[in-house]
Amino acid sequence: MTELLDGLWQASLWLAVGVVLLAVMRPLLVRMGGAGLAYRSWWLLPMLLVALMLPLPQVALLQQVPTLPLKVMPGALDSVAGHSLSWAGLLFALWALGAGICLLRDLRAQRRFERRMGQLTPRTDGSWQASGDPGLPALVGLWCPRIVVGPEFDQQFSAQEQGLILQHERNHRRNGDHWANGALLLMRAAFWFHPLVPWAARRFLRDQELACDARTMAPQPALRGLYASTLLKAQLVHPVAPSVCPWRSQPVLKERIAMLKQSKRKALPWVSGQVLVVGLCVGMGAVAWASQGAVEAGPAGPVMDREIQVDKMPPPSYPKSAIEQRQVGVVNLRVEVDAKGHLTDVQVLSATNPGVFDAVSIAAARSWTYRPAMKNGKPVAAAVKIPITFAMDNTEDTQ
């Protein structure tokens, strides 16, 4: 749970870096490669998130091993526990509640949009005609997206204008923009608390429309004037569902028409634009991946922000034979835990009564639940020394 919260915090920081970088670079990208290049640059954000999930080689920190003592007595109860996770649980519950509310809100908006379309009737041009108009024409759906037009589509637009609109929506479908909108819906839910995500979502959807306009006009530049007048005839005043690719989008109408006028300029060659965007995404992804920090153990041992912690630490059972013979002793365990909090190795360093308490001590260590050590705010692989003292009621702790 703590690991998930740490991951969300780290991802939030890198999302902020990515969004700010895209905002700064967008004018340059538009000038060099047009709206399409600016839209493709949004691949940077998922690349950053994926890079943060890729593991780095982990090296256990063995130079300086902290100790976590445990005393065991005959009849000890499994009540010995580690540190409380109440604060982490509360934060996780708050995040899950916010994500659930955000996701439910968007799904309800999508469902409401689809219900308001009413009955759908197939058309000869491959689209579907709705009996209602909540904001059509649009590409609607995720798994089986359909181009849906309004009930007055034939009366409102000429045949040539209809062709341009349908071609625009087909470009959305061909480019997978509906999948991109679905991914955006999930990101908005996961990072509902992030102050830059709403702006990034709006800018992403605007760039999506601008890029689709550019793809539609690329093979027929002579129709730019007709395309612009068609946009003016269909200003959208309805709220749009989150995973819909609408033809009409009033907030970006002026920008769409302005970009059509700029399409006469020769943009950066397609291959060069791809290389630029791929270089940006891969470069920043590599920086984010490397920021997780490969751990290096110095001769004096690394300084940790937090040592390994044990959340659930039921004591080992006291061997029956040792109780009968009133044997006591100390077993020093060395436990290695990786950056995900998983036990990787447990060894007996020393034992005052070799062979008596070793097996039960190792079995207990394998059943415990660990939280990884932290260095520079990152979880890292490390080791912890756990001396387990087996004592009778009237015995002193064995040193």
Side-chain angles (χ1 to χ4, degrees):
M1 189 177 300
T2 303
E3 183 180 348
L4 174 60
L5 294 175
D6 291 340
L8 280 172
W9 172 249
Q10 186 179 13
S12 299
L13 293 179
W14 276 103
L15 275 180
V17 172
V19 170
V20 171
L21 180 62
L22 290 177
V24 172
M25 292 193 62
R26 187 181 181 279
L28 176 64
L29 294 173
V30 171
R31 191 159 52 246
M32 296 179 65
L37 188 62
Y39 180 52
R40 290 192 294 274
S41 69
W42 285 98
W43 273 103
L44 174 63
L45 299 188
M47 283 288 291
L48 290 176
L49 297 179
V50 170
L52 292 173
M53 291 187 290
L54 297 177
L56 282 173
Q58 299 293 337
V59 180
L61 306 176
L62 308 178
Q63 300 296 324
Q64 198 173 50
V65 182
T67 59
L68 184 63
L70 175 65
K71 183 175 181 178
V72 181
M73 300 181 67
L77 300 176
D78 295 351
S79 59
V80 181
H83 298 275
S84 174
L85 281 178
S86 57
W87 66 271
L90 290 175
L91 286 178
F92 178 80
L94 178 62
W95 169 79
L97 178 63
I101 292 175
C102 184
L103 185 61
L104 180 62
R105 179 197 62 197
D106 286 345
L107 291 178
R108 289 185 62 184
Q110 178 74 21
R111 181 58 180 164
R112 184 165 56 248
F113 182 91
E114 294 179 359
R115 283 201 307 265
R116 291 175 60 188
M117 291 191 305
Q119 184 177 358
L120 301 182
T121 305
R123 293 165 51 95
T124 57
D125 54 19
S127 65
W128 295 74
Q129 189 151 28
S131 58
D133 186 5
L136 302 172
L139 180 67
V140 183
L142 188 62
W143 301 107
C144 298
R146 294 183 288 187
I147 300 174
V148 184
V149 300
E152 300 180 357
F153 183 67
D154 294 324
Q155 294 75 25
Q156 188 176 5
F157 302 101
S158 67
Q160 195 173 22
E161 291 171 340
Q162 292 177 27
L164 290 175
I165 293 173
L166 295 177
Q167 184 60 39
H168 176 95
E169 298 302 329
R170 293 189 188 104
N171 281 330
H172 271 310
R173 182 168 57 189
R174 188 179 302 114
N175 199 57
D177 290 340
H178 54 295
W179 288 109
N181 289 351
L184 177 63
L185 184 149
L186 295 178
M187 191 187 77
R188 288 173 56 186
F191 296 95
W192 58 269
F193 55 88
H194 202 296
L196 294 182
V197 165
W199 178 89
R202 291 192 299 270
R203 185 68 263 179
F204 171 80
L205 294 175
R206 290 190 176 196
D207 285 344
Q208 183 183 91
E209 288 302 317
L210 295 173
C212 193
D213 289 340
R215 288 194 302 271
T216 304
M217 287 292 94
Q220 43 192 355
L223 298 180
R224 284 193 302 269
L226 178 63
Y227 195 84
S229 65
T230 306
L231 286 172
L232 289 171
K233 289 175 63 175
Q235 296 187 32
L236 178 62
V237 295
H238 304 283
V240 179
S243 59
V244 166
C245 300
W247 156 258
R248 302 182 291 178
S249 51
Q250 189 175 11
V252 73
L253 180 62
K254 293 182 179 179
E255 190 175 3
R256 292 176 72 179
I257 294 177
M259 289 295 291
L260 289 174
K261 297 178 180 179
Q262 296 177 10
S263 63
K264 296 179 181 180
R265 295 187 293 104
K266 182 176 178 60
L268 192 71
W270 186 86
V271 174
S272 301
Q274 293 295 321
V275 171
L276 177 62
V277 170
V278 170
L280 173 66
C281 295
V282 173
M284 287 299 298
V287 173
W289 177 74
S291 72
Q292 299 177 78
V295 180
E296 299 179 359
V303 178
M304 307 295 289
D305 300 336
R306 186 190 75 192
E307 306 295 349
I308 293 174
Q309 297 182 4
V310 187
D311 292 327
K312 294 182 180 179
M313 196 177 183
S317 58
Y318 210 107
K320 184 177 180 181
S321 60
I323 297 176
E324 293 173 350
Q325 300 177 28
R326 300 193 64 80
Q327 290 179 303
V328 297
V330 176
V331 177
N332 289 299
L333 294 180
R334 178 176 167 279
V335 177
E336 293 184 17
V337 178
D338 65 16
K340 295 184 178 181
H342 300 151
L343 177 70
T344 57
D345 189 33
V346 56
Q347 299 177 7
V348 176
L349 295 177
S350 63
T352 55
N353 266 325
V356 177
F357 303 105
D358 299 22
V360 294
S361 299
I362 292 175
R366 294 190 182 280
S367 69
W368 296 337
T369 302
Y370 303 90
R371 275 194 284 168
M374 301 291 291
K375 179 176 173 59
N376 298 327
K378 315 292 183 188
V380 296
V384 61
K385 179 182 176 182
I386 305 180
I388 305 178
T389 302
F390 292 83
M392 308 298 287
D393 291 342
N394 59 350
T395 61
E396 297 293 333
D397 292 350
T398 304
Q399 300 300 323

